Amino acid sequence: MRGEAGLDEEQLVRRVARGDRRAFEELYRRTSPWLTVRLRRRCSDEQIVAEVLQETYLAVWRAADAFAGAASGGTAVGWLWTIAARRLIDAFRRRAHHATPPAAAAPAPAAAADEEVLDGVVGDEVGDALRRLAPELRQVLQAMVLDGLSVRETSVLLGVPEGTVKTRARRARIAMREALA
């Protein structure tokens, strides 16, 4: 039998569903650094990031058998991100009831992990058009298109009204169409 290191993330999730603790540890070792970076790009509060990370992996441990995987066109890493994004929104909602929502993280000078992925997936022309978008427009596109969040979830995540999210999404689409025309 191969060790966990030789398995891909989907195979690890399948083993986690069967209660394999070593597979869970390997999945965490591989994915938690990347997931932490993505969460920090959306939230500057380290306490919230740590809580969301913990809640995400607890959910993975408990619900790994619900992962549909490639059979439904999904990936294990995409499934992890979906769980984490939902947990982050829940954390913002909880905090909003007790205090002011945490500020979004300031843009990092170095390329983020998701921007590097975009560079590898999106053609030069589209990637250039995305990079030329104003940061607030790019954030909305990233949340709604790349992360698959709804208008309401994007509103909570970015701390702006739903109408503002809709306006920014429209402006971003128009700017992308013009840049690619």
Side-chain angles (χ1 to χ4, degrees):
M1 184 177 272
R2 299 188 311 200
E4 284 76 19
L7 301 174
D8 66 23
E9 287 79 7
E10 183 168 342
Q11 292 167 322
L12 289 171
V13 172
R14 301 265 182 244
R15 286 192 174 193
V16 170
R18 294 190 306 257
D20 186 335
R21 186 178 176 90
R22 286 192 344 212
F24 179 77
E25 290 168 356
E26 178 65 16
L27 182 68
Y28 180 84
R29 184 192 66 73
R30 284 189 202 176
T31 59
S32 64
W34 166 83
L35 194 54
T36 302
V37 167
R38 274 195 96 170
L39 290 169
R40 283 182 180 148
R41 293 278 295 161
R42 288 154 178 81
C43 177
S44 63
D45 188 325
E46 287 296 321
Q47 182 179 356
I48 290 177
V49 169
E51 288 171 11
V52 167
L53 199 62
Q54 182 177 10
E55 289 174 12
T56 299
Y57 284 99
L58 181 61
V60 166
W61 178 255
R62 289 179 176 166
D65 59 339
F67 172 63
S72 66
T75 66
V77 174
W79 181 67
L80 274 169
W81 173 244
T82 300
I83 293 170
R86 305 271 191 253
R87 294 295 186 271
L88 183 60
I89 290 166
D90 291 344
F92 285 167
R93 286 180 181 148
R94 283 191 305 269
R95 293 283 170 111
H97 291 300
H98 303 297
T100 324
D114 40 1
E115 289 173 4
E116 290 177 16
V117 169
L118 261 182
D119 288 343
V121 174
V122 178
D124 289 338
E125 192 175 342
V126 175
D128 289 343
L130 281 170
R131 283 185 281 284
R132 285 193 303 265
L133 282 178
E136 66 274 7
L137 301 181
R138 192 170 43 249
Q139 286 175 337
V140 168
L141 273 186
Q142 184 176 21
M144 294 180 72
V145 176
L146 296 178
D147 298 338
L149 301 179
S150 69
V151 170
R152 170 173 271 153
E153 291 165 337
T154 301
S155 168
V156 171
L157 182 65
L158 299 178
V160 297
E162 288 182 36
T164 302
V165 169
K166 291 176 184 177
T167 300
R168 288 179 182 175
R170 183 175 181 280
R171 287 178 48 213
R173 285 192 301 271
I174 290 169
M176 289 295 291
R177 249 186 255 121
E178 288 173 358
L180 297 172

